[in-house]
Amino acid sequence: MDQNTSERPEAFQIFTLNCWGLKYIAKWRKERLDEIGKRIANASPAHNIVGLQECWTTEDYKAIRRYTKGVLPYGKYYHSGIFGGGLAILSKWPIVESNMHRYPLNGRPTAFFRGDWYVGKGIACAKIKYGPGVKDIVEVFCTHLHAPYEREPHDSYLCHRTAQAWDIAKFMRDAVVRGHMVVGLGDFNMIPESLAHRIVVQHGMVFDTWRSLHPDSSLGAAIDEPEMRRGHEVPSASFNLSTNGTTCDSILNTWRWSSEDKKRMFKGETVHIDPESQDPRGKRLDYVFFGGIQTAERPWRISQTSIGMIEPHPTLGCTLSDHFSVEVVVNLSSAQSDARHLENGNTHHPEDSGGEALLPPAKQLTEGSLSQISSSMSPYLPPSTYEEILSMISTYTLRERLQRRWRLGHFLAAVPISVGCLVAVFWSPHEYVSFILMLLSTLGLGTGVIDGLIGGLFVGSELRALKEFEWEISNSLALSTGRVLEESDLRDWYD
């Protein structure tokens, strides 16, 4: 038996970071990721589960592994898509099983300048054996959901990101039912209490570790509508880090500075940003979710959450990524302490537990209580949530069907126009006119063929993935209301 699994640990030290490792695009990529590896290796207390996103090259992954292998001997770099998924999981304990699940809905090839479709985003899955017991397995799911390019609900990729949230929630839920501990971590590109967030927490049967200790933390940036409705003052950058869990768009992140301040930094000048300055755009996009079944004698409790990787690079002066890290400690607690908390009804607030939050009773399931999930841990989302998702799918499907008609129409029109231009060359009075006609014929046919392929192949594939997503949601809605789902609106691939 591996020496690291001879006895069960007293704590999980969990770390996640979007590394911003875009090759040729991200400035000082090698230097930054090298320093990230050093800081992970020198962390105190040492991390024992690490999830990385946007680690796009094996060169950068190997550089991080050179530093971390002493404290995190096990690791897996995940391959996906055309350019890779950018995901990696590191562990103190053996990875006994692993796979990469690609999201069926993940952007569009026409948005090549954004790249989401080409990198093959998905879920990096790893089963980690952390103790000697048969059920001493923690299933880790590391992901990076599709980026939002507009604010909700006007984000044209909202349907894709919602489908991705549903996918990872299913993975985490299945792990809980198997009786394993669950850690879901990564850049989820969503704000707290958004639709995607509610799907992950409720359907995934997991706990948002940050909100467990900070239940009144923000619901997005101060300029986002959900947060503005709460009527809170614009927070300072330091408050955003300590209480709101800001990981992105903080004024303390050098990559979010104005172009003038960044130019000064690139020249080696010192730029001072007051941590008490207002931070209207800072928000939490990176998460660590936790859940699963544990014995009644030793339930798990979330004891600490913090934002890390804030300090700049020692020589370059820049922050190590355009995101900050999320660091979580989940400790074992005594049965007597937990009984006192449950008697007091304190399951969400950390004040009476020295800064710790006990998982809610519905999520403290023992192996014998799998079939007796309490009503507060309903196996279904509220019907209104399912209806909201179905409405979104319907609207987006109509949009994509219209897109397919336009693209296929463009292809069908391009063919005779291209032929017509070539025929017209024979009656061209001048050579330059012949050249223009041939150029128009070539470009017109080329773009028409591309549009035809996108409309006929990609959009068709996307529509079928949407039908699968729609069926899953419709079936869950029917089950939650005691109905039998009737199959309707069946279409062949060409419809």
Side-chain angles (χ1 to χ4, degrees):
M1 179 181 292
D2 188 281
Q3 62 178 358
N4 289 333
T5 61
S6 58
E7 59 182 32
R8 296 175 70 245
E10 289 298 315
F12 285 157
Q13 307 277 351
I14 307 167
F15 173 97
T16 181
L17 175 66
N18 179 325
C19 300
W20 192 45
L22 293 167
K23 193 170 185 178
Y24 307 122
I25 297 175
K27 191 175 181 64
W28 294 328
R29 175 183 56 83
K30 290 183 180 180
E31 296 86 348
R32 290 188 295 100
L33 270 75
D34 194 70
E35 182 66 20
I36 288 171
K38 291 179 183 178
R39 294 195 187 179
I40 293 175
N42 296 325
S44 179
H47 306 303
N48 46 40
I49 295 176
V50 169
L52 302 176
Q53 307 87 49
E54 290 202 24
C55 183
W56 295 113
T57 71
T58 55
E59 175 189 5
D60 292 332
Y61 174 73
K62 290 175 182 177
I64 291 174
R65 294 300 286 136
R66 280 196 297 270
Y67 294 107
T68 61
K69 209 153 192 178
V71 292
L72 299 163
Y74 303 95
K76 176 71 173 73
Y77 181 81
Y78 291 80
H79 303 272
S80 177
I82 299 173
F83 301 116
L87 302 175
I89 294 175
L90 312 180
S91 171
K92 175 183 177 180
W93 306 290
I95 298 175
V96 297
E97 189 177 313
S98 170
N99 74 287
M100 178 71 195
H101 168 78
R102 286 185 63 180
Y103 289 125
L105 292 166
N106 182 45
R108 299 182 283 270
T110 49
F112 59 88
F113 49 92
R114 289 171 175 160
D116 293 80
W117 184 83
Y118 296 91
V119 299
K121 288 184 175 180
I123 309 168
C125 312
K127 289 184 180 179
I128 297 173
K129 178 74 172 173
Y130 66 88
V134 175
K135 288 293 183 73
D136 288 344
I137 298 288
V138 56
E139 296 199 38
V140 179
F141 303 101
C142 180
T143 193
H144 186 184
L145 301 193
H146 198 292
Y149 295 103
E150 299 91 15
R151 289 189 185 180
E152 297 185 16
H154 308 294
D155 181 8
S156 62
Y157 296 99
L158 178 59
C159 189
H160 284 209
R161 192 164 55 257
T162 302
Q164 292 172 357
W166 177 262
D167 269 3
I168 193 170
K170 289 190 299 181
F171 273 76
M172 292 191 287
R173 183 188 188 90
D174 289 345
V176 170
V177 173
R178 283 191 291 270
H180 296 159
M181 303 303 298
V182 179
V183 174
L185 73 177
D187 180 356
F188 284 76
N189 274 315
M190 64 188 183
I191 59 176
E193 301 302 322
S194 62
L195 177 59
H197 183 271
R198 284 182 278 133
I199 289 172
V200 171
V201 171
Q202 296 175 27
H203 192 71
M205 298 171 67
V206 291
F207 210 48
D208 180 347
T209 57
W210 190 272
R211 284 189 71 79
S212 72
L213 294 183
H214 304 280
D216 196 41
S217 56
S218 65
L219 303 181
I223 59 174
D224 291 338
E225 186 176 342
E227 184 63 15
M228 291 176 66
R229 284 199 297 264
R230 300 207 306 168
H232 291 191
E233 294 182 357
V234 177
S236 66
S238 61
F239 185 85
N240 264 347
L241 293 178
S242 64
T243 303
N244 290 333
T246 290
T247 60
C248 186
D249 292 339
S250 168
I251 61 171
L252 299 180
N253 191 304
T254 61
W255 304 110
R256 305 300 184 183
W257 287 355
S258 65
S259 57
E260 292 77 11
D261 285 340
K262 281 192 281 190
K263 286 178 183 178
R264 291 174 56 198
M265 177 186 68
F266 296 154
K267 293 177 181 178
E269 298 180 21
T270 300
V271 181
H272 177 71
I273 302 295
D274 185 0
E276 298 308 315
S277 300
Q278 288 188 337
D279 189 14
R281 297 184 180 276
K283 55 184 172 290
R284 182 162 67 104
L285 298 182
D286 304 80
Y287 296 78
V288 174
F289 295 100
F290 182 83
I293 297 166
Q294 188 58 285
T295 62
E297 292 76 21
R298 302 207 61 192
W300 291 89
R301 70 164 62 238
I302 301 160
S303 64
Q304 182 180 340
T305 57
S306 59
I307 301 302
M309 295 288 172
I310 302 168
E311 296 77 14
H313 191 282
T315 57
L316 300 175
C318 64
T319 43
L320 302 186
S321 173
D322 60 352
H323 284 235
F324 295 139
S325 65
V326 181
E327 304 175 15
V328 175
V329 180
V330 182
N331 282 338
L332 280 170
S333 58
S334 67
Q336 293 82 1
S337 173
D338 293 336
R340 175 175 61 82
H341 277 77
L342 292 177
E343 287 173 4
N344 294 336
N346 182 21
T347 60
H348 290 278
H349 299 281
E351 289 82 3
D352 296 333
S353 57
E356 299 181 343
L358 187 64
L359 295 181
K363 298 185 183 180
Q364 292 184 337
L365 306 177
T366 63
E367 293 183 29
S369 65
L370 267 175
S371 60
Q372 300 175 349
I373 300 176
S374 71
S375 59
S376 62
M377 194 60 170
S378 170
Y380 303 110
L381 297 168
S384 60
T385 302
Y386 292 125
E387 291 166 358
E388 181 181 355
I389 298 172
L390 288 172
S391 175
M392 176 197 306
I393 295 172
S394 176
T395 302
Y396 185 76
T397 299
L398 289 174
R399 175 192 186 277
E400 291 306 284
R401 288 192 180 281
L402 181 61
Q403 284 281 318
R404 182 167 68 169
R405 291 194 192 98
W406 278 107
R407 293 183 186 281
L408 292 178
H410 177 203
F411 168 68
L412 294 175
V415 174
I417 292 174
S418 176
V419 173
C421 287
L422 290 176
V423 172
V425 170
F426 291 99
W427 287 275
S428 172
H430 304 288
E431 291 184 354
Y432 75 88
V433 175
S434 299
F435 172 77
I436 292 173
L437 289 170
M438 294 177 68
L439 180 64
L440 290 174
S441 174
T442 303
L443 294 177
L445 183 61
T447 56
V449 168
I450 292 173
D451 254 355
L453 290 172
I454 291 173
L457 299 180
F458 165 73
V459 178
S461 174
E462 182 186 32
L463 289 172
R464 285 186 287 280
L466 284 167
K467 291 301 293 183
E468 286 297 310
F469 182 35
E470 182 181 36
W471 186 91
E472 290 185 29
I473 300 301
S474 298
N475 188 58
S476 295
L477 174 59
L479 291 172
S480 69
T481 55
R483 296 185 291 105
V484 176
L485 177 64
E486 295 183 6
E487 291 186 297
S488 61
D489 194 30
L490 296 178
R491 299 168 181 252
D492 288 310
W493 67 270
Y494 48 80
D495 288 338

